[in-house]
Amino acid sequence: MPTRTIPRRALVLTAAALAVLPTAALTAPAQAASAPPTVPAATTAAAPVGFVDLPDSALPTDRAPHRITFRYRNDAPTDQTVAPQILLESPQQGPFLSPSDFRLEMLGTDGRWRTVPLGSQTGTLYTGLIPAKIVLHSGHTLTESYRLTVLHGPAQGTIEPRIAIYA
């Protein structure tokens, strides 16, 4: 009988998206730091319909803060509900990354850095989608700036920013 291998990243992200659905239906999303108005609470429980992978990079090997800035432009003729997300992917052969090994911060509209919590599943660290959901108007560009510091290391792996797209 043939077997099919499911990539670890797909499995982790599906499980993470499903895990937040029950609580998402009960809570309203928080306003993203540099975002337009948030999505109405009635739409928060829906899972993303797709992801746009943005260019990835290797994890820094020192303990200095490193800035991660990425942009996503809504070229669709209509508004899109989107959520930026950062994934920190462990090497395929390990060792798995731990949230306690990193500090991830997001630059707010007030110019201050605020810590962003990292979830963890099967070697992938990730930022939450529900608090980051925003409506991106047609023709507008979302720019996100993060700062990543390796606290314990050296770390091996990949930084993979992406945008979740909602129906």
Side-chain angles (χ1 to χ4, degrees), residues 37-123:
T38 59
V39 177
T43 62
T44 59
V49 296
F51 292 91
V52 176
D53 292 327
L54 302 171
D56 60 349
S57 59
L59 281 171
T61 57
D62 59 10
R63 293 185 181 170
H66 291 268
R67 195 160 181 166
I68 304 164
T69 301
F70 60 87
R71 290 173 180 78
Y72 172 74
R73 180 173 170 80
N74 179 7
D75 289 326
T78 60
D79 294 350
Q80 286 183 327
T81 300
V82 300
Q85 186 175 47
I86 298 277
L87 305 175
L88 303 179
E89 187 75 39
S90 297
Q92 287 294 332
Q93 304 303 320
F96 283 165
L97 301 174
S98 170
S100 63
D101 292 338
F102 299 93
R103 180 175 54 243
L104 183 65
E105 300 166 288
M106 180 179 182
L107 185 60
T109 56
D110 61 358
R112 295 178 191 219
W113 293 99
R114 63 179 173 89
T115 302
V116 178
L118 291 169
S120 176
Q121 186 146 10
T122 320

